[in-house]
Amino acid sequence: MQALELILLLFSVILLSTVLDQLVSGLSLPLIQIAMGLLAALVIGEPFALTIDADLFLVLFIAPLLYDESRKVSKRSLARHMSSILSLAIGLVVASVFAVGFVLHWLSPTIPLAAALTLGAALGPTDAVAVTALAKTAKLNERQKALLSGEALINDASGIVSFQFAVALVVTGVFSIREAATAFAISFGGGLVCGLVLGVVVLAVTRAVRSVGLESTVFHVTFEIFTPFAIYLVAESLHVSGVLAVVGAGLLVTLAPLPSTVYTARVSLVSSGVWEVLSFILNGVVFVFLGSNLPSIVTNSWEQSADPLALLGMVIAGTVVVVGVRYLWIVIADFISMKRGGLPGFPSLRSVLIPSLVTTLGGPKGAVTLTIAFTLPYGIIGTHGQSIRDELIFLASGIILFTLLLANFIVPRLAPFQVSAQEKTRENDVRAAVLRLLIKSMTTKFETHYPIALALFVSRYRREIAELTAGDDFATANRQLRLELIFRQREFIDDMLSQNTISVATHHALDHTLERLLQVMKHRRSGAFNIKGMWAFITSRIRIFLDDHSSDKAPDSVEQLRHARIELEKFAIAFLESATIDSENAENVRKFLLREHNDMLRQLEQSSHRQYPAIPETQDASNTAHDPEIPSRTMGEQLNLLEVEALRLELGCIQELREDGQITLKEAQMLRDEIYLLQMNLSDLGTH
């Protein structure tokens, strides 16, 4: 029962940290969670004392987090900057071990050199979680992202292996460079090879399950979660690096090509959501764990130290050494990279020093460092004959906090996160290009079959294009005038109903169309979906779907509905012509809307009194336009059909633009992901 209470308490703290993350600006989530862990340990006390075996900590938290990070890292950037990444992940770790070790031993002779080297090894790894959090607050270029993410994936293994050798030196007092190098190569290389082999096994199992028809999202996502734990344990049982095995397998699984279908998109969507929640919880536990251990670490080390203030000075000195060595290493690496890139002349200092500082401070220490530090043996004795384990853990914790603070407060100021006007314009232009091509495709296929429903869709796409290409001021004015028009149209049809000009069923059909327009205004596609927007979209689709299938609300006749729509369009035109306009943008919007509603009125007046036949999925429109055997569709069914077909055609438009070189592969994938999400929502709601 006590364990359950502790778990619930831990989850409560993590949930509260998400709220504070929205309220507290300028402070990253890891620092908030560390502070909350510290506060919980001070207020709650003993019930919140979190202790966990270090080996269990690695497999339970670090393995799945690194697997998730390896799945999200840019493989192309990783390959392009692999030499620099290996330099940081191996060379810099080794350099930091000796730099920190010798400096701390020089500052405090009571710490044996071997013990100081163990602390230097523990400080080798950077924190992948903190790097991910940093990417949301700082503008990192492609090289910086590749170096930080790739380094964080690999240097855990090099840091752990270096630490193990340093501990062996402390315990036995014997060290062989040849044996150490051999063991390092076996652990490092063996971990990668083991991970690649197990990654092949994972792919084989996944494809075997799919080949026998077991297309289960639950299975695939559950298997993904199980994978990093199994790989880590297998690799460790073979005495190679479990961390690198997890990373290698994650990279291989991600690189494997998958068929681009709605089902694979569904698996990808569910998998991404599950991993996002899982990684958030694991990250939260890690940083809360760090914060909750700070009081005991500080108390134990300060009580045992003859000069507590000297410990704080050593934390600052250790931070300076870690950051200084890292900065010097990265400056040299960036200079070499620029020269290899074929830049003419000698790179200027400014072009290297500031970006190198961002990369330096962007790799803070974190959970792995603390985990390694807690595995220090209790038998580490200083020259004064007393255990210095708590003192070393205090130094590691202090340096972790200092590097996190530097990353949180300095990096966003050196490289502030903002979307440039050029990037925003490019994204809008790409979306507008797809919509223009979609209008052409939809018109070609459906103009002679569903002109009224098609006109509704085309007007929506034209509005989106206008908002995308005319700027934020036009979009704001457009939204305001459209919303006012929809509300006035609703008042108009209410008056028509009260005067018995239209029936209740026709009123419902008109109100239903206006509700569709209102939902599009509120939740139009303008980039990635957030949870709130997605939920609003789904609930609105459920309501529309249920309304469309309510037999008792069908309009009395097609002719009555067409006549009512004509009157509604005439009202909209009259309202727009008499509306008070107070800006140039509003005037442009009014002209745009007048043209749109006049087009709709013309379509309604020219349309036939009969319903147009539906187009079967297996036949072409030209062969079915006058087939009496095909049943007619209501307006709601026509709109649903066009909505499904529009998404299918939009995928073809994206591919066409991609093949013509008008959009990049990354842009095409972003747009496809949005469409897959919409297709799944429509499919789940039964829209056919």
Side-chain angles (χ1 to χ4, degrees), residues 62 64 70 130 145 165 176 191 223 272 337 361 433 444 498 516 537 567 594 600 686:
I62 305 304
S70 66
K145 291 178 181 178
F165 291 141
S176 170
F223 185 66
S272 298
S337 175
L361 300 181
T444 301
S498 64
R516 277 180 178 272
F537 175 82
E567 294 301 315
L594 277 171
M600 178 62 69

Side-chain angles (χ1 to χ4, degrees), residues 457-474:
F457 270 82
V458 170
S459 66
R460 187 178 84 183
Y461 296 146
R462 286 175 177 166
R463 172 183 60 79
E464 291 190 19
I465 292 172
E467 290 186 2
L468 290 169
T469 57
D472 294 338
D473 293 338
F474 180 89

Side-chain angles (χ1 to χ4, degrees), residues 207 426 682:
R207 290 173 180 174
R426 171 61 185 174
L682 294 176

Side-chain angles (χ1 to χ4, degrees), residues 595-609:
R595 184 168 63 252
E596 182 179 295
H597 284 279
N598 276 306
D599 290 343
M600 178 62 69
L601 178 60
R602 185 166 54 253
Q603 288 278 4
L604 288 166
E605 290 176 339
Q606 295 176 355
S607 63
S608 171
H609 292 185

Side-chain angles (χ1 to χ4, degrees), residues 196-309:
L196 294 176
V197 171
L198 293 177
V200 172
V201 174
V202 169
L203 290 174
V205 171
T206 303
R207 290 173 180 174
V209 170
R210 186 172 294 157
S211 66
V212 297
L214 297 179
E215 297 283 4
S216 170
T217 304
V218 175
F219 168 80
H220 286 291
V221 175
T222 305
F223 185 66
E224 272 190 12
I225 297 174
F226 168 78
T227 297
F229 302 105
I231 290 175
Y232 183 91
L233 293 175
V234 170
E236 288 294 321
S237 67
L238 298 175
H239 304 291
V240 295
S241 174
V243 171
L244 272 176
V246 168
V247 171
L251 292 173
L252 180 67
V253 170
T254 308
L255 284 172
L258 289 175
S260 182
T261 64
V262 173
Y263 174 74
T264 56
R266 182 191 299 273
V267 172
S268 177
L269 178 67
V270 175
S271 174
S272 298
V274 171
W275 273 107
E276 183 177 356
V277 173
L278 182 62
S279 63
F280 169 76
I281 293 174
L282 294 177
N283 291 334
V285 172
V286 167
F287 286 109
V288 170
F289 174 80
L290 171 57
S292 67
N293 277 275
L294 285 179
S296 61
I297 292 171
V298 172
T299 301
N300 294 338
S301 57
W302 280 49
E303 286 179 352
Q304 296 177 11
S305 175
D307 188 0
L309 291 179

